[in-house]
Structure formats: structure tokens, C-alpha cells
Amino acid sequence: MVKANDYLIALDDGHGLGTAGKRTPYIPSIGRQIQENEFNERVTYFLKLELESCGFRTLLTAPTDADTPLKARTDAANSMGADALVSNHYNAFDGKFDGPGKDAEGHSLHIYFNDAKDRRLAEHIAKYLKQGTKQVYRGIIEQNLHMTREFNGPAVLVENGFMDNEREALLMINEDFQRETAREQALGICDFFGVPYVPAGNGGPVGTPPETGGTSNDPVAGKRVESIYKGAEGLDFYSRPTFDDRYRAGTLKFGYGFPTIVRKLKVEGADMYEVKNSRGYVYYVTASPLFVKVEGSSQSSGGTASPPAKGGPIAIGEITIIGVANAAIIQDRPDRLTSKNLGTIRKGRNIPVTGSVKGKNSSSGYWEVIYNGKRAYVTGEFGRYKAY
């Protein structure tokens, strides 16, 4: 039987909150312009809730307010092996309101050229979008767009209306429309994968809400935390208090972070911070001083990681996992015959490395890596080294 949990859906909210030009004309009735991402982020948030209610796993390709580069978005989705991608946008024609009956209007679904899987996913979603709020249906359009071209699986970019049509522009900040659009997209995704739809209701914030028992006198509570990890793929953060890749919510590039630490937790034998982003959503990120620094802490600035207070491994570079079908095993000692398996790391992913050792039972030796803040080992032939 098909299970929704077997599938990871990459969700993309187009552009950043402050991306230049991506906004409506001035709207007199509300006294301001509406930024495109105000809609894109909210409908993607509601779609995440809908899909998770159905049992799907989800990945946000652009979980911060920044205008995440397109390549970083598709790289994240591909590296995590996402099974489908939906990117939400709002269209524009000439950047001005021409008046009722004169402005472009309607929604459309955009796919890559001659891609049968893209088209099938788009057809399922379109079936439900056409049943919702009355809009002109502009069809399924084949285009050379990065998000659909570079993603490895079925992908659809949805233009949900026109920002320079005043009626549709006002729908951008209508929560009922946002939720309806997300529900319709979720129904289409469920149909595509052959799993039952389970309505999400109104739901709550993305991520896991704080557990009871947190300490308000935690010395890091309320402070900013940011990544000091220089790895090419960035530092992972999670939607749940775990280091399990299945719940990876996104990555932080060097210097990016979260404005508020809620508390520090012990998770799977290592420290994590429970954090909130600028929208109030809760996530989890490592608390290791090798990878993050806290505002006002004694850790050094300038992008170099200070060692943990009790001492610990210090990365000199990173390896990219190569030469495996899907993933490499992370071992507790440099001996593939007697070691304990600590976990796996997917092909193409990066992991910080402290050096290499000869070890036993491997002609290629072993990379000494940092896993959950501790030393671990990966067989030498499965890593390609890059110095910091």
C-alpha cells in the first residue's frame, strides 16, 4: 500500500520578502503595496500543514526571508531526494492597474518542456484549482524555468494570479484564499501519489511547538544564533528536535541564522537550540560551537569556530560523499569490520572533516569526520576533500 510518509515534497515560496520589484502597485484601499512573497510564503506554509496532515514529509527550499538563489533551492531539493516540487508565485504583466476588464488575470501552471511527469502533476493540481475561487484558467504552460528544469523529479511552478490586477492583488492577503489554494494544491498532490487527503484544519506554526518545562532563565534564551560553518551546502536545521535527515527543514549559509533562541536541548546525545525565525516559526539547529555562534557569547567572530568548552574535534575542511549508490555509512571507529554504524550520509552531501587515518580493513583508509559533535569515520574512497 502506498504511504504518504514514503514521499518527500519540496515546497518553494518564490522570491524573498524584500526582492526588488516583486510587489503590487500601490493599492489605495489598503494604503500600501503588497510584496509577492507575502502570498508565496503564506500559501507555502499552509500547503506544508496540509501535506503533513496527510502524512507527507516536506522540505522548505527557502525557509528564511532572504531571496535564496534558485540553484540553492533546487540543490537542496535534489540532495534530499525530494519526490516532487511545487513552487508558488504570483504573476505580473505591466506593473500597473489599468482598470476592471483591462488587466491580465488568472492562474496558470508552468512545467518544463515535454516532461510527462511535470504535466501529470500539473494536471492533478489544476483539476482542483479550477474548482476554487473564480479565476481565469490560463492552462499548463511549458517554459524553460530553473525550478522545473533543474529539479530531478516532477515539478510545477504555480502562478496563482496577477499582482497588477487589483482584484487578484487583494486576494494575496486574503487568508481564506491562501488556505483554499494550499488545500487545492494538496488535493492534487495526493491524487498524483495515490494517497488519501486528510484536511489540516487551521493548524499551527511550522515546526514543532515548544514543549512544556523550558527554562526562561536559560542564558542563551532570546539571543541570536548564526552559522559559522563554511561548508558549501550550509548547516542543516530541522523541523523537529532530531538530527534525522527526514526532518531536515533547510540549511543556513555562513553568517545566516535565527534571531531568537528559545532554549537549549539535549537531543540524541548532542546539544541543539530550539529557535524561532523572524516569522515566529520554530526550528532546531545544532548548538555545537564548531558550527554556530551566539550573539554576545565568548566565541570568536570573523567566521572561525571556537572549540567547545571541554575540547573537541575541529574541522579543517569537508568531504563530499561520492562513489556510493545512495549513502555512505558513518562509523564509530576506523575499521569497517568491527565498527558500529552511527548513521548514514547521502551521496552528494558534505560533512566536516578533521583529517584522515589509515585504520584497518580499508585500502583507502578513513576520513575522520565530525558527526553530532563527535569524531566519527567514513571510508576513504567515499569522500572528496575540500579544505576550508
Side-chain angles (χ1 to χ4, degrees), residues 97-375:
F97 297 140
D98 296 315
K102 298 178 182 179
D103 290 316
E105 61 180 314
H107 48 208
S108 53
L109 299 94
H110 299 252
I111 63 174
Y112 193 58
F113 298 110
N114 301 315
D115 192 308
K117 290 183 179 179
D118 281 12
R119 179 167 291 278
R120 190 163 66 87
L121 177 59
E123 288 171 345
H124 281 294
I125 293 175
K127 171 185 172 182
Y128 293 99
L129 288 179
K130 289 188 286 186
Q131 296 174 19
T133 297
K134 185 173 177 56
Q135 290 178 275
V136 172
Y137 174 58
R138 301 173 70 91
I140 297 171
I141 300 170
E142 294 186 350
Q143 275 185 291
N144 185 17
L145 301 175
H146 177 96
M147 296 304 297
T148 55
R149 182 185 69 241
E150 298 300 323
F151 178 62
N152 293 338
V156 175
L157 185 149
V158 186
E159 295 282 8
N160 290 281
F162 276 80
M163 292 187 290
D164 44 15
N165 177 302
E166 189 166 359
R167 183 185 73 85
E168 291 192 332
L170 288 169
L171 288 174
M172 295 171 69
I173 54 173
N174 182 317
E175 185 172 312
D176 289 340
F177 179 71
Q178 295 166 352
R179 288 184 182 274
E180 173 201 298
T181 300
R183 183 171 60 254
E184 290 157 0
Q185 292 182 8
L187 282 161
I189 293 168
C190 285
D191 279 4
F192 179 81
F193 286 104
V195 302
Y197 169 72
V198 179
N202 287 338
V206 172
T208 305
E211 299 173 10
T212 57
T215 56
S216 60
N217 60 352
D218 190 325
V220 298
K223 294 184 178 180
R224 170 182 168 81
V225 62
E226 69 179 46
S227 171
I228 55 173
Y229 173 55
K230 294 184 178 180
E233 286 195 357
L235 181 69
D236 293 344
F237 61 93
Y238 304 84
S239 62
R240 300 184 186 184
T242 180
F243 291 97
D244 190 328
D245 258 3
R246 290 178 298 173
Y247 302 104
R248 176 175 172 245
T251 59
L252 296 172
K253 295 296 185 182
F254 175 80
Y256 284 82
F258 293 95
T260 307
I261 297 173
V262 178
R263 58 179 175 163
K264 191 175 183 179
L265 302 170
K266 184 68 72 173
V267 177
E268 298 166 4
D271 291 329
M272 291 191 100
Y273 289 128
E274 182 178 271
V275 296
K276 286 185 178 181
N277 70 3
S278 59
R279 297 162 180 166
Y281 304 159
V282 176
Y283 294 104
Y284 298 85
V285 66
T286 179
S288 169
L290 290 172
F291 304 119
V292 297
K293 69 176 182 179
V294 176
E295 183 181 66
S297 74
S298 60
Q299 291 173 290
S300 62
S301 60
T304 57
S306 300
K310 295 183 180 180
I314 300 176
I316 61 170
E318 64 186 11
I319 56 168
T320 302
I321 299 303
I322 60 172
V324 293
N326 296 303
I329 295 172
I330 300 174
Q331 305 158 224
D332 71 336
R333 66 190 70 183
D335 185 342
R336 62 175 20 166
L337 297 184
T338 65
S339 63
K340 176 183 177 182
N341 294 344
L342 300 178
T344 60
I345 178 168
R346 294 177 189 238
K347 181 179 181 180
R349 295 290 301 277
N350 297 335
I351 189 169
V353 62
T354 66
S356 61
V357 295
K358 185 175 180 181
K360 298 179 180 180
N361 299 309
S362 171
S363 59
S364 61
Y366 299 87
W367 295 107
E368 185 177 85
V369 300
I370 301 172
Y371 180 69
N372 286 350
K374 299 178 181 179
R375 296 180 193 274

Side-chain angles (χ1 to χ4, degrees), residues 12-75:
D12 180 70
D13 59 310
H15 310 295
L17 192 58
T19 305
K22 301 297 182 179
R23 61 199 68 205
T24 70
Y26 179 80
I27 304 175
S29 62
I30 62 172
R32 69 178 183 94
Q33 296 174 294
I34 302 170
Q35 295 166 310
E36 181 180 349
N37 191 257
E38 289 184 64
F39 172 84
N40 298 343
E41 183 271 333
R42 293 297 287 174
V43 75
T44 300
Y45 159 46
F46 291 132
L47 178 56
K48 176 181 174 71
L49 294 180
E50 290 280 354
L51 292 175
E52 290 179 350
S53 177
C54 298
F56 289 100
R57 293 174 292 119
T58 63
L59 168 72
L60 297 176
T61 64
T64 69
D65 289 338
D67 193 354
T68 305
L70 297 181
K71 185 177 185 301
R73 297 170 187 243
T74 50
D75 282 354

